[in-house]
Amino acid sequence: MRTSFYFEGLQRLGDRINDRINDRIKLTETESLIYAEIKRNPSITVPLLMHETGYSEPTINRTLKALREKSCIARVGARKNGRWEILK
């Protein structure tokens, strides 16, 4: 969803807001792919992420840690039956 506001003689406000949001959160290609998989299925597990993305377990774990440190995701519930929560 995208909203644009137009003002006579001024730059589009919607583009300026989107630029600030995109500048704030920088995700690598790996982080973007894993973030998208988590967004699609919040109950996804590391083995399923490995299967869906083709990345190794250490890469998945390292990327999940990076996403948690960037406050993009959080784990809710237990390790076995918990789910991921999208924060940003």
Side-chain angles (χ1 to χ4, degrees):
M1 179 182 219
R2 183 177 184 159
T3 303
S4 297
F5 298 95
Y6 295 95
F7 295 98
E8 196 170 312
L10 294 175
Q11 182 183 7
R12 292 188 327 182
L13 180 61
D15 286 343
R16 290 195 323 239
I17 291 171
N18 288 336
D19 289 342
R20 278 187 261 151
I21 290 170
N22 291 336
D23 286 341
R24 228 176 40 202
I25 302 171
K26 299 281 187 188
L27 296 180
T28 65
E29 184 179 331
T30 306
E31 290 170 346
S32 296
L33 181 60
I34 291 175
Y35 183 82
E37 288 295 326
I38 290 172
K39 195 171 188 178
R40 190 172 61 84
N41 178 7
S43 300
I44 198 163
T45 61
V46 171
L48 191 53
L49 276 171
M50 290 170 50
H51 180 265
E52 294 291 324
T53 62
Y55 294 127
S56 66
E57 185 175 358
T59 300
I60 299 287
N61 288 329
R62 194 171 41 250
T63 305
L64 290 173
K65 181 180 177 185
L67 288 170
R68 284 192 300 262
E69 288 173 354
K70 291 180 180 183
S71 299
C72 293
I73 61 171
R75 186 74 178 173
V76 178
R79 291 183 81 191
K80 194 169 186 174
N81 60 359
R83 62 179 173 78
W84 293 102
E85 185 174 291
I86 301 294
L87 302 176
K88 291 184 183 176

